[in-house]
Amino acid sequence: MVINFGAGPAKLPREVLLEVQKELVEHGTTGMSVMEMSHRGSSYVKLHNDTLELARELLKVPDNYKILLMQGGGTGLFAAVAMNLIGRTGTADYLVTGSWSSKAAKEASKYGKVNQVVPKPDKYICVPNAKDWKLDPNASYVYYCDNETIEGVEFNFVPQTNDVPLVVDMSSNIMSKPIDIKKFGVIFACAQKNIGPAGITLVIVREDLIGHHLPITPTILEFSTVARDNSINNTPPTFIIYVVGRVFAWIKRQGGMEKMHQIALKKSNMIYEVIAGSKNFYYCPVEGNVRSRMNVPFRIGGPGGNDALEKEFLKGAETLGMQQLKGHRSVGGIRASLYNAVTLDEVEALRTYMLEFHSKNS
């Protein structure tokens, strides 16, 4: 049996896959697949609205926020955020703590002035002390990525921005912990980590931030248009949204955000404890207080890694059915992604293998 530790597109709950399989040809009593339905027909509109309502319930989204389903993935939202918000003052603050926030800052610089709140480090291994941040009180918004999937850096606090709207990319840790939505102006998350297949992005935006887009903003990226038309201005990826709704229902059955958070901590601690007890045989470069619960990167054989040992580790893992453990090409090493759908038993299997591999090669 395969155990999928991929960073994204990532593992989906088996229970959801079986539900989708059962309804693939005929959804409910409609006589057709969701893939065949008109996006404006009553059957699809109901499941579309049910998906949005589940998101609002699970995340406890206040009434003065709109929930949007947008296309273009996280990369599309890098542009959409800037196009919809930066025109308010012409400038924005970006807190860059990894590859994805760096890409977002680069994209935003096409549409206004971007202030990088902290200097770029040699390696992304921490969240710089907030006392050293250089925030611009005139910024249209402050942007950060809550969990960097490549480097494994996850914020353990919500930044204070002195009433400047806070924008956060939660693509890889949305639905894994309770969130105080009121602290944010915009939250977005592409689906392919914790909430469904690739192809849709969940966006939560405070109503007062809608309607300020730059004139050049494509209609498909305008928050105002998407909100007005309930995310059905054009043909949405209907089947993907249906699967996302099934995942939301599964999360609700599991116990919601509080339960997801408890399990996420337990899973990540299982791996970090092996690393900590290995006397640097396994090495995680990320500072301890901001190590990700979702993506655990590590090297084998010390800080620089031992290529031969890492290749042997990956080969042995694949023999045991553990797939997609190779680290991102930009940083190398090993990376275990522990999203909601990855079970405790599957993480225990990885933990056991790591202990055995260490014993054999120490």
Side-chain angles (χ1 to χ4, degrees), residues 113-154:
K113 181 183 177 182
V114 167
N115 168 44
Q116 295 213 24
V117 174
V118 293
K120 182 178 179 180
D122 293 331
K123 293 182 179 180
Y124 297 115
I125 60 171
C126 69
V127 173
N129 193 311
K131 292 186 295 185
D132 299 325
W133 298 359
K134 296 180 179 179
L135 295 171
D136 178 2
N138 189 51
S140 295
Y141 59 92
V142 177
Y143 180 106
Y144 76 108
C145 178
D146 202 44
N147 183 74
E148 293 280 2
T149 58
I150 294 175
E151 292 84 7
V153 174
E154 183 175 19

Side-chain angles (χ1 to χ4, degrees), residues 46-318:
K46 182 182 185 308
L47 70 85
H48 182 97
N49 289 336
D50 287 347
T51 299
L52 293 172
E53 288 171 11
L54 272 170
R56 188 173 293 275
E57 177 186 351
L58 287 168
L59 294 169
K60 299 179 181 176
V61 179
D63 292 340
N64 64 322
Y65 285 76
K66 295 292 187 183
I67 301 178
L68 315 178
L69 299 172
M70 298 181 66
Q71 297 173 58
T75 301
L77 263 294
F78 295 165
V81 163
M83 288 181 169
N84 281 278
L85 301 183
I86 206 167
R88 296 169 67 240
T89 68
T91 185
D93 284 349
Y94 275 69
L95 181 58
V96 176
T97 55
S99 298
W100 292 114
S101 49
S102 177
K103 288 174 188 262
K106 182 178 180 181
E107 182 67 25
S109 68
K110 298 176 182 178
Y111 311 108
K113 181 183 177 182
V114 167
N115 168 44
Q116 295 213 24
V117 174
V118 293
K120 182 178 179 180
D122 293 331
K123 293 182 179 180
Y124 297 115
I125 60 171
C126 69
V127 173
N129 193 311
K131 292 186 295 185
D132 299 325
W133 298 359
K134 296 180 179 179
L135 295 171
D136 178 2
N138 189 51
S140 295
Y141 59 92
V142 177
Y143 180 106
Y144 76 108
C145 178
D146 202 44
N147 183 74
E148 293 280 2
T149 58
I150 294 175
E151 292 84 7
V153 174
E154 183 175 19
F155 275 70
N156 61 358
F157 65 98
V158 176
Q160 298 296 314
T161 59
N162 300 319
D163 296 326
V164 175
L166 186 59
V167 176
V168 60
D169 174 359
M170 287 190 174
S171 290
S172 51
N173 64 355
I174 193 83
M175 295 284 175
S176 72
K177 62 180 180 179
I179 304 168
D180 186 352
I181 303 293
K182 296 188 297 296
K183 293 182 177 180
F184 301 93
V186 177
I187 299 171
F188 73 87
C190 55
Q192 66 268 19
K193 316 287 189 176
N194 259 336
I195 60 178
I200 200 69
T201 305
L202 179 72
V203 183
I204 303 169
V205 55
R206 205 172 65 214
E207 290 178 345
D208 64 292
L209 298 177
I210 296 173
H212 305 285
H213 53 272
L214 298 173
I216 62 169
T217 307
T219 301
I220 197 171
L221 296 182
E222 284 181 11
F223 289 166
S224 57
T225 299
V226 180
R228 182 196 67 210
D229 294 336
N230 195 34
S231 303
I232 315 181
N233 174 258
N234 65 320
T235 307
T238 54
F239 187 73
I240 291 169
I241 292 169
Y242 156 70
V243 179
V244 167
R246 295 296 85 222
V247 174
F248 288 169
W250 175 82
I251 291 173
K252 183 177 179 179
R253 293 195 298 272
Q254 303 312 301
M257 299 301 94
E258 290 78 9
K259 188 64 174 180
M260 292 294 101
H261 183 48
Q262 292 171 16
I263 295 173
L265 286 172
K266 188 176 293 187
K267 290 188 296 189
S268 58
N269 285 339
M270 288 166 66
I271 304 304
Y272 286 126
E273 285 171 3
V274 173
I275 293 170
S278 72
K279 298 181 180 179
N280 275 343
F281 179 81
Y282 296 116
Y283 176 81
C284 177
V286 181
E287 291 187 1
N289 65 328
V290 290
R291 287 182 174 177
S292 173
R293 299 163 304 120
M294 297 289 103
N295 311 98
V296 182
F298 59 92
R299 302 304 303 256
I300 300 178
N306 180 310
D307 288 343
L309 274 178
E310 289 176 351
K311 288 179 181 177
E312 185 180 346
F313 179 92
L314 290 169
K315 183 177 179 180
E318 289 190 3

